[in-house]
Amino acid sequence: MADPAVSVSPYWELTFDADGDVDGRERDRLLAEVPRRAVRDLIVFAHGWNNDRSGATRLYSQFFAPVPGLAPHARVGYVGVVWPSMRFSDEPIPDFPRSVAADVPADVPAAARTALDKDTRHALLEVFPGRATVVEQIARLLDQQPDEGASLEEFGRLVRLLVEVPPQGPQAAFAADTLAEGGPQGDPAMLFGHTATVCGEFAEALAGMTAPGETFSLPRPWDGARELLRQATYYAMKRRAGTVGERGLGSALGRLATAAPGVRVHLVGHSFGGRLVSFALRGLPEGVRTVKSVTLLQGAFSHYAFAASLPGDPGASGALHGQQSRVDGPVVCCYSHFDMALGTIYPLASRMADDDRSVLGVDPGHLLGARWGAMGHDGVQAVEGTKTFTLADALRAQLPVSGCVNVDACAVVNRGGPPSGAHSDICHRELAQLVLAAGRVR
């Protein structure tokens, strides 16, 4: 198997399917070559929103590029995790090629803005194989927008069918804590409530995120229909991230600990990839202590995931309560208030997944203070002893040797427009330096 074109070496990839099953040849190659190449520190990076392997590889190549210069004497190896997730074509990644579909002029009709473009259709077919008819029906309704009654309800039914709610197979175990981690059990209410109401709430949220130069228009429920599809897709991706992390990556790291007991593993995850590497801690075999650091970049999961008890519900705990103790080092959470995806849409979707009460008129700042906030917007919450640094201070100081650490990274994570803002603005030398500092890689 030829190595992908990346900026660093030695580099390996680990590919997982939606149920967390790994490509056996890639795994066996990693287990054989890590000890043979005398790797001491292995950085394992899991992507978040990506459409394909080439996009993931490009991300890894760009993020890893500064590492050899930052740690010239370290024996570092690199792993890129590839798993079936997607991003919509209107979510540009800074410094990456934009999809043509993302460059929609500001003066086009609203219906054209909410239509399902060719790139997004292709991505949906790749991530949800066997659902071609459903994707085409969804695309037709978004194109035509025939009415705001029965057609929107049919749209909601098709979205549920696409993302398989309720889920089957191994992913079913990860559905209950997907959007409201540690909260009420069951499937997301946003997919079972009145579709026109849910879409209307998303439309209002999006109307407040217009980019400079765009004109404001009164939102219609159909204006939020594409966002319902996006959030339902992300619900499925978060579900998969937990599955792949615990059933797949956690198990693979256990095997690696046996094959190369001296290797020091440093987990890095972006967006849902942060959830993936965090759930890998839950899948580590008993006694494995090879994970020396975890760095979460704009993590798209609950800021209470590691909490022993949830504020307002002390009898409940986060889905990853206590898992930071599986790390022989710190869990570093980078966040930025420039992340629109996690600052506005994530808490709105999470609240609607938790119950079907209207959130119109609720101040987004209040939402962020409640249990529906995301790691990548305001850091780890309700975990005793968590330290907070600016990025500059974190790079100057000696980071804590254990526990949770919040790092405000808005000094570099600040580029990007609606709907995601700076969510994917993570390829910075300073963040690569932070990964090395967290793991004490020298």
Side-chain angles (χ1 to χ4, degrees), residues 177-314:
D177 59 7
T178 294
L179 279 175
E181 316 213 32
Q185 306 297 297
D187 299 311
M190 71 175 173
L191 296 179
F192 290 95
H194 187 236
T195 304
T197 300
V198 172
C199 290
E201 292 174 358
F202 278 129
E204 290 223 359
L206 291 169
M209 298 169 62
T210 54
E214 290 188 2
T215 57
F216 175 82
S217 59
L218 289 175
R220 307 168 302 125
W222 275 113
D223 296 340
R226 180 183 170 98
E227 191 60 37
L228 175 61
L229 173 62
R230 189 198 312 267
Q231 293 303 324
T233 301
Y234 293 163
Y235 164 77
M237 296 305 102
K238 288 186 74 177
R239 188 176 69 203
R240 287 183 183 181
T243 309
V244 173
E246 185 168 334
R247 295 190 74 249
L249 182 58
S251 175
L253 293 177
R255 291 199 181 204
L256 178 64
T258 300
V263 74
R264 306 171 75 250
V265 175
H266 310 283
L267 300 179
V268 183
H270 169 235
S271 187
F272 296 146
R275 187 174 199 267
L276 191 157
V277 298
S278 297
F279 270 76
L281 301 175
R282 220 163 70 167
L284 287 175
E286 194 66 33
V288 171
R289 301 291 294 173
T290 56
V291 177
K292 302 301 180 182
S293 67
V294 175
T295 304
L296 308 175
L297 305 172
Q298 302 311 113
F301 62 115
S302 171
H303 58 189
Y304 292 139
F306 292 102
S309 62
L310 302 182
D313 188 5

Side-chain angles (χ1 to χ4, degrees), residues 10 12 30-44 74-79 252-267 284 287-293 328 439 441:
W12 300 271
L30 175 72
L31 298 182
E33 294 188 3
V34 165
R36 183 172 62 81
R37 300 288 291 266
V39 170
R40 174 166 170 73
D41 290 284
L42 188 70
I43 305 176
V44 180
R75 302 196 305 274
V76 180
Y78 309 85
V79 174
L253 293 177
R255 291 199 181 204
L256 178 64
T258 300
V263 74
R264 306 171 75 250
V265 175
H266 310 283
L267 300 179
L284 287 175
V288 171
R289 301 291 294 173
T290 56
V291 177
K292 302 301 180 182
S293 67
D328 190 21
V441 179

